[in-house]
Amino acid sequence: MFSKTPMLRFFLTFVLLQLSFFGINMLGVVQQHVVLPWTELLARACVALVMLFDETAAAAGKVLWNTATGFGVSIEPGCNGIEACIVLFSAVLAFPSSWRHKLVGLVIGFLAVQGLNVVRVISLFYLGQWNTQVFNFAHEYLWQALIMLDVLIVWLLWVRAGSKSQNSSGPPPPPAPPAHAPASPKPAGPLVSASLDLSPPVR
């Protein structure tokens, strides 16, 4: 368990990183050159997967739509996985660990969040064609909760992996003191008879 000071430091760093990243994300230049191209790439990736079993899907910018029915979903901010990645990245960077372990967490976390986000977009694409009420519930409540749950689970697994790594790579235990050799018994001296000589003296 952490003491109060490291926990407070982690919380404050986590909040400050989120504020910084969300502020950068809202800049016009970032939206134009990073967020929008990524969102369009996400739409094309979803179309590529959907076309494996449905040839009526197409992408126009950030919109995934059905060429047969005309129904489409637009991938707006909050649906491209960037905000969830910001939360996860802030938690990983704020947590005390090695930079190598942080890099592993950032890469795996990004793949986990964006992979699940692709599933979200595709599922909403078909839910919207089936039932509008179910689509609204899944879009506004269900998938929002699942994405944040994914962020939490990935972060907890990453923290646990780091703890196991530190325990396994800790300093080796001190060597055991050498065993003392048993004292060798002292050699027994010659046995001397203590009996008296009772023979008569020689004259």
Side-chain angles (χ1 to χ4, degrees), residues 81 84-86 88-89 92 101-116 147 150-151 153-155 158:
C85 285
I86 287 177
L88 178 60
F89 288 1
V92 169
H101 188 56
K102 290 180 188 292
L103 180 60
V104 172
L106 295 177
V107 173
I108 295 179
F110 177 81
L111 295 176
V113 171
Q114 293 299 335
L116 185 61
I147 290 293
D150 181 43
V151 169
I153 291 175
V154 170
W155 183 76
W158 173 79

Side-chain angles (χ1 to χ4, degrees), residues 16 22 30 40 57 71 88 97 111 115 120 127 147 199 203:
L16 290 176
F22 276 114
V30 176
E40 294 176 352
F71 176 84
L88 178 60
S97 64
L111 295 176
R120 169 170 72 168
L127 284 176
I147 290 293
S199 59
R203 297 189 179 194

Side-chain angles (χ1 to χ4, degrees), residues 5-187:
T5 301
M7 281 295 293
L8 180 60
R9 185 185 302 115
F10 164 75
F11 177 75
L12 293 178
T13 306
F14 173 63
V15 172
L16 290 176
L17 286 174
Q18 282 194 96
L19 293 176
S20 301
F21 289 152
F22 276 114
I24 295 173
N25 181 60
M26 294 176 63
L27 296 176
V29 62
V30 176
Q31 289 285 327
Q32 183 68 26
H33 297 286
V34 178
V35 177
L36 185 57
W38 168 254
T39 306
E40 294 176 352
L41 177 62
L42 178 62
R44 291 195 296 270
C46 292
V47 168
L49 292 175
V50 171
M51 289 189 66
L52 295 176
F53 54 87
D54 186 356
E55 296 181 354
T56 62
K62 59 180 181 178
V63 177
L64 174 65
W65 65 292
N66 188 302
T67 57
T69 63
F71 176 84
V73 291
S74 178
I75 305 176
E76 299 296 334
C79 298
N80 52 18
I82 292 180
E83 288 77 6
C85 285
I86 287 177
V87 176
L88 178 60
F89 288 1
S90 300
V92 169
L93 293 175
F95 191 80
S97 64
S98 66
W99 282 107
R100 180 179 180 181
H101 188 56
K102 290 180 188 292
L103 180 60
V104 172
L106 295 177
V107 173
I108 295 179
F110 177 81
L111 295 176
V113 171
Q114 293 299 335
L116 185 61
N117 194 57
V118 168
V119 177
R120 169 170 72 168
V121 173
I122 295 176
S123 68
L124 292 175
F125 174 67
Y126 284 102
L127 284 176
Q129 300 178 66
W130 173 60
N131 189 296
T132 304
Q133 292 182 347
V134 175
F135 169 84
N136 291 333
F137 173 79
H139 176 250
E140 297 177 5
Y141 302 104
L142 179 61
W143 271 115
Q144 297 289 347
L146 290 177
I147 290 293
M148 295 313 300
L149 180 62
D150 181 43
V151 169
L152 178 61
I153 291 175
V154 170
W155 183 76
L156 290 176
L157 291 176
W158 173 79
V159 171
R160 183 178 181 183
S163 300
K164 288 185 176 181
S165 177
Q166 290 180 357
N167 293 336
S168 61
S169 61
H180 295 286
S184 57
K186 296 181 179 180

